[in-house]
Structure formats: C-alpha cells, structure tokens
Amino acid sequence: MAELNQAVTRMVFENYNVEKHLDDHLQSTVSTLRFNKYKKPEKIGTGQGLSGHTDKTLTTILHQNHVKGLEIYTKDNKWIGFDPLPSSFLFMACDGFQVWSNDRIPSCKHRVNLKENEERYSFGLFSYLEGVTRAPDELTADDHPVKYKPLHMLDYVQFYVANYRNVGAGFSVKEYCGV
Ligand SMILES: O=C(O)CCC(=O)C(=O)O
Ligand SMILES: [Fe+2]
C-alpha cells in the first residue's frame, strides 16, 4: 500500500511538473494503518456508518471486505456508491493534498452508509506530511494566489480529534487554515 501511495504521488507530481520536490515530500510522509469494523446495521438504510467527511490526511488508501457501504460525493453534488472488486484499493486525495495543490485537487468527501445485513470491514493507509505543508511556488500565481496558511497536518488531525464534538464531521481544512 505504501508503494501504491508513492506511485500515485509520483504521478501527481509529474502531472504538475514539480518532480524536483518529490523526494523531500516522500521523505516527510508518515503513515498509519487503521482497521475499521462496522457492526450489522440495526435498521437498513438509516445512514448508520460514518457521516460525510474529508480525511485530515494527505492521502488515504482503502481496502475492504465484500460488504458495500462506501459512498463518494461527486462534483455535481451526488453521492455515488463504491462497488469494490475483491482486489480493489481506493486512493483518495485528502485535505493535505488540497492545501498542497492550492485547491487544484479537491479533498474527496465520502461517507459510509450501511445497506447490507452483514458486518463490514475496511482498512486504510492514512498518510500525513510531517512538518509544514504549503503549495509549491509552481502551483501559485498572481491569478491563483495562496489559499491556505501553512498547514501542520499532525496538529490539524489532533485539533480535529480533540474538537470533533464542537466542529462536527463536516469540518473542512478551509475553516481550519483557509486565508
Ligand atoms: O470504511 C471505509 O470504507 C471508510 C473509512 C473512512 O472513511 C475513514 O476511516 O476515514
Ligand atoms: Fe474517511
């Protein structure tokens, strides 16, 4: 999964012609693996699972068992269900990439909506940048000025966890450090 993360990150950097920053970026990347277990829903279709949110990470890669439930929010404001193959790994650009790309790569909003009468398992590789994240100069311009104050991603996730009850699942990185 870490290799997949590096491969996709490399593609993003090549796409934006900022490969010269890639090595520093990869060296500052730290990851944690987390398992999620969702019990059988008490009532199907009640939205039990996980409310709509964006991850406070740079990137997240998800893998799951056969029980569906993950939904992605699209550009045209619709929730679409993710229909995984047993071999699927889903790569998501998250809040850190939104800041790094100066809004060119939106953070992927998603939720878990349990619809099947079975236990659901997923696990994810959650990656963060140590230190401070800011958009490289190449991704800012007079007509595309910097949209975020420098983001300390590990502080950000700690803030979110500590203040979750007040700020809610939908808390965005724009609210945290947008200019
Ligand atoms: O279980 C899933 O598929 C998604 C989990 C998730 O969104 C999260 O842990 O942030
Ligand atoms: Fe998530």
Coordinates of all heavy atoms in Angstrom, one line a residue, residues 4-89:
L4 N 2.0 1.8 -3.5 CA 0.9 2.4 -4.3 C 0.8 3.9 -4.0 O 0.7 4.7 -4.9 CB -0.4 1.7 -4.0 CG -1.7 2.2 -4.6 CD1 -1.6 2.1 -6.1 CD2 -2.9 1.5 -4.1
N5 N 0.9 4.2 -2.7 CA 0.8 5.6 -2.4 C 2.0 6.4 -3.0 O 1.7 7.5 -3.6 CB 0.9 5.7 -0.8 CG 0.5 7.1 -0.4 OD1 -0.3 7.8 -0.9 ND2 1.2 7.6 0.7
Q6 N 3.2 5.9 -3.0 CA 4.3 6.6 -3.7 C 4.1 6.7 -5.2 O 4.4 7.7 -5.8 CB 5.6 5.8 -3.4 CG 6.0 5.9 -1.9 CD 7.4 5.5 -1.6 OE1 8.1 5.1 -2.6 NE2 7.8 5.5 -0.4
A7 N 3.6 5.6 -5.8 CA 3.4 5.6 -7.2 C 2.4 6.6 -7.7 O 2.6 7.4 -8.6 CB 3.0 4.2 -7.7
V8 N 1.3 6.7 -6.9 CA 0.3 7.7 -7.3 C 0.8 9.1 -7.0 O 0.6 10.1 -7.9 CB -1.1 7.4 -6.6 CG1 -2.1 8.5 -7.1 CG2 -1.6 6.1 -7.0
T9 N 1.5 9.3 -5.9 CA 2.0 10.6 -5.6 C 3.0 11.1 -6.7 O 3.0 12.2 -7.1 CB 2.7 10.6 -4.2 OG1 1.8 10.1 -3.3 CG2 3.2 11.9 -3.8
R10 N 3.8 10.1 -7.1 CA 4.8 10.4 -8.2 C 4.0 10.9 -9.5 O 4.4 11.9 -10.1 CB 5.6 9.2 -8.6 CG 6.6 9.4 -9.7 CD 7.4 8.1 -9.9 NE 8.1 7.7 -8.7 CZ 9.3 8.2 -8.3 NH1 9.9 9.1 -9.0 NH2 9.9 7.8 -7.2
M11 N 2.9 10.2 -9.8 CA 2.1 10.6 -11.0 C 1.6 12.1 -10.8 O 1.6 12.9 -11.7 CB 1.0 9.7 -11.2 CG 1.4 8.4 -11.9 SD 0.4 6.9 -11.6 CE -1.2 7.4 -11.9
V12 N 1.1 12.4 -9.6 CA 0.6 13.7 -9.3 C 1.7 14.8 -9.5 O 1.5 15.8 -10.2 CB 0.0 13.8 -7.9 CG1 -0.4 15.3 -7.6 CG2 -1.2 12.9 -7.8
F13 N 2.9 14.5 -9.0 CA 4.0 15.4 -9.1 C 4.4 15.6 -10.5 O 4.7 16.7 -11.0 CB 5.2 15.0 -8.2 CG 5.0 15.5 -6.7 CD1 3.9 15.1 -6.0 CD2 6.0 16.3 -6.2 CE1 3.8 15.5 -4.6 CE2 5.8 16.8 -4.9 CZ 4.8 16.4 -4.1
E14 N 4.4 14.5 -11.3 CA 4.8 14.6 -12.7 C 3.8 15.4 -13.5 O 4.1 16.3 -14.3 CB 4.9 13.2 -13.3 CG 6.2 12.5 -12.9 CD 6.3 11.1 -13.3 OE1 5.4 10.5 -13.9 OE2 7.3 10.4 -12.9
N15 N 2.5 15.2 -13.1 CA 1.5 15.9 -13.8 C 1.6 17.4 -13.6 O 1.3 18.2 -14.5 CB 0.1 15.4 -13.3 CG -1.1 15.9 -14.0 OD1 -1.0 15.9 -15.3 ND2 -2.1 16.4 -13.3
Y16 N 2.0 17.8 -12.4 CA 2.1 19.3 -12.2 C 3.6 19.8 -12.4 O 3.9 20.9 -12.0 CB 1.7 19.6 -10.7 CG 0.2 19.5 -10.6 CD1 -0.4 18.5 -9.9 CD2 -0.7 20.4 -11.2 CE1 -1.8 18.4 -9.8 CE2 -2.0 20.3 -11.2 CZ -2.6 19.3 -10.4 OH -4.0 19.2 -10.3
N17 N 4.4 19.0 -13.0 CA 5.8 19.4 -13.3 C 6.6 19.9 -12.0 O 7.3 20.9 -12.1 CB 5.9 20.5 -14.3 CG 5.5 19.9 -15.7 OD1 6.0 18.8 -16.1 ND2 4.6 20.6 -16.4
V18 N 6.4 19.2 -10.9 CA 7.1 19.6 -9.7 C 7.9 18.4 -9.1 O 8.1 18.3 -7.9 CB 6.1 20.1 -8.6 CG1 5.5 21.5 -9.1 CG2 5.0 19.1 -8.3
E19 N 8.4 17.5 -10.0 CA 9.1 16.3 -9.6 C 10.3 16.7 -8.7 O 10.7 15.9 -7.9 CB 9.7 15.6 -10.8 CG 8.7 15.0 -11.7 CD 8.5 15.9 -12.9 OE1 8.3 17.1 -12.8 OE2 8.5 15.3 -14.0
K20 N 10.9 17.9 -8.8 CA 12.0 18.2 -8.0 C 11.7 18.2 -6.5 O 12.6 18.1 -5.7 CB 12.7 19.5 -8.5 CG 11.8 20.8 -8.2 CD 12.7 22.0 -8.6 CE 11.9 23.2 -8.2 NZ 12.4 24.5 -8.7
H21 N 10.4 18.4 -6.2 CA 10.0 18.4 -4.8 C 9.6 17.0 -4.3 O 9.3 16.8 -3.1 CB 8.8 19.3 -4.6 CG 9.0 20.7 -5.0 ND1 10.0 21.5 -4.4 CD2 8.4 21.5 -5.9 CE1 10.0 22.7 -5.0 NE2 9.1 22.7 -5.9
L22 N 9.6 16.0 -5.2 CA 9.1 14.7 -4.8 C 9.9 14.0 -3.7 O 9.3 13.5 -2.7 CB 9.0 13.8 -6.0 CG 8.4 12.4 -5.8 CD1 6.9 12.5 -5.4 CD2 8.5 11.5 -7.0
D23 N 11.2 14.0 -3.8 CA 12.0 13.2 -2.8 C 11.7 13.8 -1.4 O 11.5 13.0 -0.4 CB 13.5 13.2 -3.2 CG 13.8 12.3 -4.3 OD1 12.9 11.5 -4.7 OD2 14.9 12.4 -4.9
D24 N 11.8 15.1 -1.2 CA 11.6 15.7 0.1 C 10.2 15.3 0.6 O 10.0 15.0 1.8 CB 11.6 17.3 0.0 CG 13.1 17.7 -0.1 OD1 14.0 16.9 0.1 OD2 13.3 18.9 -0.4
H25 N 9.2 15.4 -0.3 CA 7.8 15.1 0.0 C 7.7 13.7 0.6 O 7.1 13.4 1.6 CB 7.0 15.3 -1.2 CG 5.5 15.1 -1.0 ND1 4.6 16.1 -0.8 CD2 4.8 14.0 -1.1 CE1 3.4 15.6 -0.7 NE2 3.5 14.3 -0.8
L26 N 8.3 12.7 -0.2 CA 8.2 11.3 0.2 C 8.9 11.0 1.5 O 8.4 10.3 2.3 CB 8.7 10.4 -0.9 CG 7.8 10.4 -2.2 CD1 8.4 9.4 -3.2 CD2 6.4 10.0 -1.9
Q27 N 10.0 11.7 1.7 CA 10.8 11.5 2.9 C 10.0 12.1 4.2 O 10.2 11.6 5.3 CB 12.1 12.2 2.8 CG 13.2 11.2 2.2 CD 14.4 11.9 1.8 OE1 14.8 13.0 2.3 NE2 15.2 11.3 0.9
S28 N 9.2 13.0 3.9 CA 8.4 13.6 5.1 C 7.1 12.9 5.3 O 6.3 13.3 6.2 CB 8.1 15.1 4.8 OG 9.3 15.7 4.5
T29 N 6.8 11.9 4.5 CA 5.5 11.2 4.6 C 5.5 10.2 5.7 O 6.4 9.3 5.7 CB 5.1 10.6 3.2 OG1 5.1 11.6 2.2 CG2 3.7 10.0 3.3
V30 N 4.5 10.2 6.6 CA 4.4 9.2 7.6 C 3.0 8.6 7.5 O 2.1 9.3 7.1 CB 4.6 9.7 9.0 CG1 6.0 10.1 9.3 CG2 3.7 10.9 9.3
S31 N 2.9 7.3 7.8 CA 1.6 6.6 7.5 C 1.2 5.8 8.7 O 2.0 5.3 9.5 CB 1.7 5.7 6.3 OG 2.0 6.4 5.2
T32 N -0.1 5.6 8.9 CA -0.6 4.7 9.9 C -1.7 3.8 9.3 O -2.4 4.3 8.4 CB -1.1 5.5 11.1 OG1 -2.1 4.8 11.8 CG2 -1.8 6.8 10.7
L33 N -1.7 2.6 9.7 CA -2.7 1.7 9.1 C -3.8 1.5 10.2 O -3.5 1.3 11.3 CB -2.0 0.3 8.9 CG -2.7 -0.7 8.0 CD1 -2.8 -0.2 6.6 CD2 -1.8 -2.0 8.0
R34 N -5.1 1.6 9.7 CA -6.2 1.5 10.7 C -7.2 0.6 10.2 O -7.6 0.6 9.0 CB -6.8 2.9 11.0 CG -7.7 2.8 12.2 CD -8.2 4.2 12.6 NE -9.2 4.7 11.7 CZ -9.2 5.9 11.1 NH1 -8.2 6.7 11.3 NH2 -10.1 6.3 10.3
F35 N -7.7 -0.3 11.1 CA -8.8 -1.2 10.7 C -10.1 -0.7 11.2 O -10.2 -0.1 12.3 CB -8.6 -2.6 11.3 CG -7.5 -3.4 10.7 CD1 -6.2 -3.1 11.0 CD2 -7.8 -4.3 9.7 CE1 -5.1 -3.8 10.3 CE2 -6.8 -5.0 9.1 CZ -5.5 -4.8 9.4
N36 N -11.2 -0.8 10.4 CA -12.5 -0.4 10.9 C -13.4 -1.6 10.8 O -13.4 -2.3 9.8 CB -13.1 0.7 9.9 CG -12.2 1.9 9.8 OD1 -11.9 2.5 10.8 ND2 -11.9 2.3 8.6
K37 N -14.2 -1.7 11.8 CA -15.2 -2.8 11.8 C -16.6 -2.1 12.0 O -16.8 -1.3 13.0 CB -15.0 -3.7 13.0 CG -16.0 -4.8 13.1 CD -15.7 -5.7 14.3 CE -16.8 -6.7 14.6 NZ -16.6 -7.5 15.7
Y38 N -17.6 -2.4 11.2 CA -18.9 -1.8 11.3 C -19.8 -3.0 11.6 O -19.9 -4.0 10.8 CB -19.3 -1.2 9.9 CG -18.4 -0.1 9.5 CD1 -17.3 -0.4 8.7 CD2 -18.7 1.2 9.8 CE1 -16.4 0.6 8.3 CE2 -17.8 2.3 9.3 CZ -16.7 1.9 8.6 OH -15.9 2.9 8.1
K39 N -20.5 -2.9 12.7 CA -21.5 -4.0 13.0 C -22.6 -4.0 12.0 O -22.9 -3.0 11.4 CB -22.0 -3.7 14.4 CG -21.0 -3.9 15.5 CD -21.7 -3.8 16.9 CE -20.6 -3.7 17.9 NZ -21.1 -2.8 19.0
K40 N -23.3 -5.1 12.0 CA -24.5 -5.1 11.2 C -25.4 -4.0 11.6 O -25.7 -3.7 12.8 CB -25.3 -6.4 11.5 CG -24.8 -7.7 10.9 CD -25.9 -8.7 11.2 CE -25.2 -10.1 11.2 NZ -26.2 -11.1 11.6
P41 N -26.0 -3.3 10.6 CA -26.9 -2.1 11.0 C -28.1 -2.6 11.7 O -28.7 -3.7 11.3 CB -27.2 -1.5 9.7 CG -26.9 -2.4 8.6 CD -25.9 -3.4 9.2
E42 N -28.6 -1.9 12.7 CA -29.9 -2.3 13.3 C -31.0 -2.2 12.4 O -31.9 -3.0 12.3 CB -30.1 -1.4 14.6 CG -29.2 -1.8 15.7 CD -29.0 -0.7 16.7 OE1 -29.9 0.2 16.8 OE2 -28.0 -0.8 17.4
K43 N -31.0 -1.1 11.6 CA -32.0 -0.9 10.6 C -31.4 -0.5 9.3 O -30.6 0.4 9.2 CB -32.9 0.3 11.0 CG -34.3 0.0 11.5 CD -35.1 1.2 11.5 CE -36.4 1.1 12.3 NZ -37.0 2.4 12.5
I44 N -31.7 -1.2 8.2 CA -31.0 -1.0 6.9 C -31.5 0.4 6.4 O -32.7 0.7 6.5 CB -31.4 -2.1 5.9 CG1 -31.1 -3.5 6.5 CG2 -30.7 -1.9 4.6 CD1 -29.7 -3.8 6.7
G45 N -30.6 1.1 5.8 CA -31.0 2.4 5.1 C -31.2 3.6 6.1 O -31.8 4.6 5.7
T46 N -30.7 3.5 7.3 CA -30.8 4.6 8.2 C -29.6 5.5 8.3 O -29.5 6.4 9.1 CB -31.1 4.1 9.7 OG1 -30.1 3.1 10.0 CG2 -32.4 3.5 9.8
G47 N -28.7 5.2 7.3 CA -27.5 6.0 7.3 C -26.4 5.7 8.3 O -25.5 6.5 8.5
Q48 N -26.6 4.6 9.0 CA -25.6 4.3 10.0 C -24.3 3.9 9.4 O -24.3 3.3 8.3 CB -26.0 3.0 10.8 CG -27.0 3.4 11.9 CD -27.6 2.1 12.5 OE1 -27.9 1.1 11.8 NE2 -27.7 2.1 13.8
G49 N -23.2 4.3 9.9 CA -21.9 4.0 9.4 C -20.9 5.2 9.8 O -20.5 5.2 10.9
L50 N -20.7 6.1 8.8 CA -19.8 7.2 9.1 C -20.4 8.4 8.3 O -20.7 8.3 7.1 CB -18.4 6.8 8.5 CG -17.2 7.2 9.2 CD1 -17.1 6.8 10.7 CD2 -16.0 6.5 8.5
S51 N -20.5 9.5 9.0 CA -21.1 10.7 8.3 C -20.1 11.2 7.3 O -18.9 11.0 7.3 CB -21.3 11.8 9.3 OG -21.9 11.4 10.5
G52 N -20.7 12.0 6.4 CA -19.9 12.6 5.3 C -18.7 13.4 5.9 O -18.9 14.2 6.8
H53 N -17.5 13.2 5.3 CA -16.3 13.9 5.8 C -15.2 13.9 4.8 O -15.3 13.1 3.8 CB -15.8 13.3 7.1 CG -15.3 11.9 6.9 ND1 -16.1 10.8 6.9 CD2 -14.1 11.4 6.8 CE1 -15.4 9.7 6.7 NE2 -14.1 10.0 6.6
T54 N -14.2 14.7 5.0 CA -13.0 14.5 4.2 C -11.9 14.1 5.3 O -12.0 14.5 6.4 CB -12.6 15.8 3.6 OG1 -12.4 16.8 4.6 CG2 -13.6 16.3 2.5
D55 N -11.0 13.3 4.8 CA -9.9 12.9 5.8 C -8.9 14.0 6.0 O -8.6 14.8 5.1 CB -9.2 11.6 5.2 CG -10.1 10.4 5.3 OD1 -11.3 10.5 5.8 OD2 -9.7 9.3 4.9
K56 N -8.4 14.0 7.2 CA -7.5 15.1 7.6 C -6.1 14.7 7.2 O -5.1 15.2 7.7 CB -7.6 15.3 9.1 CG -8.7 16.2 9.6 CD -10.0 15.9 9.0 CE -11.0 17.0 9.0 NZ -12.1 16.8 8.0
T57 N -5.9 13.8 6.3 CA -4.7 13.2 5.8 C -4.2 14.0 4.6 O -4.9 14.8 4.0 CB -4.8 11.8 5.5 OG1 -5.9 11.7 4.6 CG2 -5.1 10.9 6.7
L58 N -3.1 13.5 4.1 CA -2.6 13.9 2.7 C -3.3 13.0 1.7 O -4.0 13.5 0.8 CB -1.1 13.7 2.7 CG -0.3 14.0 1.5 CD1 -0.3 15.5 1.2 CD2 1.1 13.5 1.7
T59 N -3.2 11.7 2.0 CA -3.9 10.7 1.1 C -4.4 9.6 2.0 O -3.8 9.3 3.1 CB -2.9 10.1 0.1 OG1 -1.8 9.5 0.9 CG2 -2.3 11.1 -0.8
T60 N -5.4 8.9 1.5 CA -5.9 7.7 2.2 C -6.1 6.6 1.1 O -6.6 6.9 0.0 CB -7.2 8.0 2.9 OG1 -7.1 9.0 3.9 CG2 -7.8 6.7 3.5
I61 N -5.6 5.4 1.4 CA -5.9 4.3 0.5 C -6.7 3.3 1.3 O -6.4 2.9 2.4 CB -4.6 3.6 0.1 CG1 -3.8 4.6 -0.7 CG2 -4.9 2.4 -0.8 CD1 -2.4 4.1 -1.2
L62 N -7.9 2.9 0.7 CA -8.8 2.0 1.4 C -9.0 0.6 0.7 O -8.9 0.5 -0.5 CB -10.2 2.6 1.5 CG -10.4 3.9 2.3 CD1 -11.7 4.6 2.1 CD2 -10.2 3.6 3.8
H63 N -9.1 -0.4 1.6 CA -9.4 -1.7 1.1 C -10.5 -2.3 2.0 O -10.5 -1.9 3.2 CB -8.1 -2.6 1.1 CG -8.2 -3.9 0.6 ND1 -8.6 -4.2 -0.7 CD2 -8.1 -5.1 1.2 CE1 -8.6 -5.5 -0.9 NE2 -8.4 -6.1 0.2
Q64 N -11.3 -3.1 1.5 CA -12.5 -3.6 2.3 C -12.9 -5.0 2.0 O -12.5 -5.5 1.0 CB -13.6 -2.6 2.1 CG -14.1 -2.6 0.7 CD -15.5 -2.0 0.6 OE1 -15.7 -0.8 0.4 NE2 -16.5 -2.8 0.7
N65 N -13.8 -5.5 2.8 CA -14.4 -6.8 2.5 C -15.5 -6.6 1.5 O -15.7 -5.5 1.0 CB -14.8 -7.6 3.8 CG -16.0 -6.9 4.5 OD1 -16.4 -5.8 4.1 ND2 -16.6 -7.6 5.4
H66 N -16.3 -7.6 1.2 CA -17.3 -7.5 0.2 C -18.5 -6.7 0.5 O -19.4 -6.5 -0.4 CB -17.8 -9.0 -0.2 CG -18.5 -9.6 0.9 ND1 -17.7 -10.2 2.0 CD2 -19.8 -9.8 1.2 CE1 -18.6 -10.7 2.9 NE2 -19.8 -10.5 2.4
V67 N -18.7 -6.3 1.7 CA -19.9 -5.6 2.2 C -19.8 -4.1 1.7 O -18.9 -3.4 2.2 CB -20.1 -5.7 3.7 CG1 -21.4 -5.0 4.1 CG2 -20.2 -7.2 4.1
K68 N -20.7 -3.7 0.9 CA -20.7 -2.3 0.3 C -21.1 -1.3 1.4 O -21.5 -1.7 2.5 CB -21.6 -2.2 -0.9 CG -21.1 -3.0 -2.0 CD -22.1 -2.7 -3.2 CE -22.0 -3.9 -4.1 NZ -23.3 -4.3 -4.7
G69 N -20.9 -0.1 1.1 CA -21.3 1.0 2.0 C -20.6 2.3 1.8 O -21.2 3.4 2.0
L70 N -19.4 2.2 1.2 CA -18.7 3.5 1.0 C -19.3 4.3 -0.1 O -19.6 3.7 -1.2 CB -17.2 3.2 0.6 CG -16.3 4.4 0.4 CD1 -16.2 5.2 1.7 CD2 -14.9 3.9 -0.1
E71 N -19.5 5.6 0.1 CA -20.1 6.4 -0.9 C -19.2 7.7 -1.1 O -18.7 8.2 -0.1 CB -21.5 6.9 -0.5 CG -22.5 5.7 -0.5 CD -23.9 6.1 -0.1 OE1 -24.1 7.2 0.4 OE2 -24.8 5.2 -0.2
I72 N -19.1 8.1 -2.3 CA -18.3 9.3 -2.7 C -19.1 10.4 -3.1 O -20.1 10.2 -3.9 CB -17.3 8.9 -3.8 CG1 -16.5 7.6 -3.5 CG2 -16.4 10.0 -4.2 CD1 -15.5 7.7 -2.5
Y73 N -18.8 11.6 -2.7 CA -19.6 12.8 -3.1 C -19.0 13.4 -4.4 O -17.8 13.7 -4.4 CB -19.5 13.8 -2.0 CG -20.6 14.9 -2.1 CD1 -21.9 14.6 -2.0 CD2 -20.2 16.2 -2.3 CE1 -22.9 15.6 -2.0 CE2 -21.2 17.2 -2.3 CZ -22.5 16.9 -2.2 OH -23.5 17.9 -2.2
T74 N -19.8 13.5 -5.4 CA -19.2 13.9 -6.7 C -19.3 15.4 -6.9 O -19.9 16.1 -6.2 CB -20.1 13.3 -7.9 OG1 -21.4 13.8 -7.8 CG2 -20.1 11.8 -7.8
K75 N -18.6 15.9 -8.0 CA -18.6 17.3 -8.3 C -20.0 17.9 -8.5 O -20.2 19.0 -8.3 CB -17.8 17.5 -9.6 CG -16.3 17.7 -9.5 CD -15.8 18.1 -10.8 CE -14.3 17.7 -10.9 NZ -13.8 17.7 -12.2
D76 N -20.9 17.0 -9.1 CA -22.2 17.5 -9.3 C -23.2 17.1 -8.1 O -24.4 16.9 -8.3 CB -22.8 17.1 -10.7 CG -22.5 15.6 -11.0 OD1 -21.8 15.0 -10.1 OD2 -23.0 15.1 -12.0
N77 N -22.6 17.1 -7.0 CA -23.3 17.1 -5.7 C -24.2 15.8 -5.6 O -25.4 15.9 -5.1 CB -24.2 18.3 -5.5 CG -23.4 19.6 -5.7 OD1 -22.2 19.6 -5.3 ND2 -24.0 20.6 -6.4
K78 N -23.7 14.7 -6.0 CA -24.4 13.4 -5.8 C -23.6 12.5 -5.0 O -22.3 12.5 -5.1 CB -24.7 12.8 -7.1 CG -25.7 13.6 -8.0 CD -26.2 12.7 -9.1 CE -27.1 13.4 -10.0 NZ -26.4 14.1 -11.2
W79 N -24.2 11.6 -4.2 CA -23.5 10.5 -3.5 C -23.5 9.3 -4.4 O -24.6 8.9 -4.8 CB -24.2 10.2 -2.2 CG -23.9 11.2 -1.1 CD1 -24.8 12.1 -0.6 CD2 -22.7 11.4 -0.4 NE1 -24.2 12.9 0.3 CE2 -23.0 12.5 0.5 CE3 -21.5 10.8 -0.4 CZ2 -22.0 12.9 1.4 CZ3 -20.5 11.3 0.5 CH2 -20.8 12.3 1.4
I80 N -22.4 8.8 -4.8 CA -22.4 7.5 -5.5 C -21.7 6.4 -4.7 O -20.7 6.6 -4.1 CB -21.7 7.7 -6.9 CG1 -20.3 8.3 -6.8 CG2 -22.5 8.5 -7.9 CD1 -19.4 8.1 -8.0
G81 N -22.3 5.2 -4.8 CA -21.8 4.1 -4.1 C -20.6 3.5 -4.8 O -20.5 3.5 -6.0
F82 N -19.6 3.1 -4.0 CA -18.4 2.4 -4.5 C -18.7 0.9 -4.5 O -19.0 0.3 -3.5 CB -17.2 2.8 -3.6 CG -16.0 2.1 -3.9 CD1 -15.4 2.3 -5.2 CD2 -15.3 1.3 -3.0 CE1 -14.2 1.6 -5.6 CE2 -14.1 0.7 -3.3 CZ -13.6 0.8 -4.6
D83 N -18.5 0.3 -5.7 CA -18.7 -1.1 -5.8 C -17.4 -1.8 -6.0 O -16.8 -1.9 -7.1 CB -19.5 -1.2 -7.1 CG -20.3 -2.5 -7.2 OD1 -20.1 -3.4 -6.3 OD2 -21.0 -2.8 -8.2
P84 N -16.8 -2.3 -4.9 CA -15.4 -2.8 -4.9 C -15.3 -4.2 -5.5 O -16.2 -5.0 -5.3 CB -15.0 -2.8 -3.5 CG -16.3 -3.1 -2.7 CD -17.4 -2.5 -3.5
L85 N -14.2 -4.4 -6.2 CA -13.8 -5.8 -6.5 C -13.0 -6.3 -5.3 O -12.5 -5.5 -4.5 CB -12.9 -5.8 -7.7 CG -13.5 -5.4 -9.1 CD1 -12.4 -5.2 -10.1 CD2 -14.5 -6.4 -9.5
P86 N -12.9 -7.6 -5.2 CA -12.1 -8.1 -4.0 C -10.7 -7.6 -4.0 O -10.1 -7.4 -3.0 CB -12.1 -9.6 -4.2 CG -13.2 -9.9 -5.1 CD -13.5 -8.7 -5.9
S87 N -10.2 -7.2 -5.2 CA -8.8 -6.7 -5.3 C -8.7 -5.2 -5.3 O -7.6 -4.6 -5.5 CB -8.2 -7.3 -6.6 OG -8.9 -6.8 -7.7
S88 N -9.8 -4.5 -5.1 CA -9.8 -3.0 -5.2 C -9.1 -2.3 -4.0 O -9.3 -2.7 -2.9 CB -11.2 -2.5 -5.2 OG -11.9 -2.8 -6.3
F89 N -8.3 -1.4 -4.4 CA -7.7 -0.4 -3.5 C -8.1 1.0 -3.9 O -7.9 1.3 -5.1 CB -6.2 -0.5 -3.4 CG -5.7 -1.8 -2.7 CD1 -5.6 -3.0 -3.4 CD2 -5.3 -1.7 -1.4 CE1 -5.2 -4.1 -2.7 CE2 -4.9 -2.8 -0.7 CZ -4.8 -4.0 -1.4

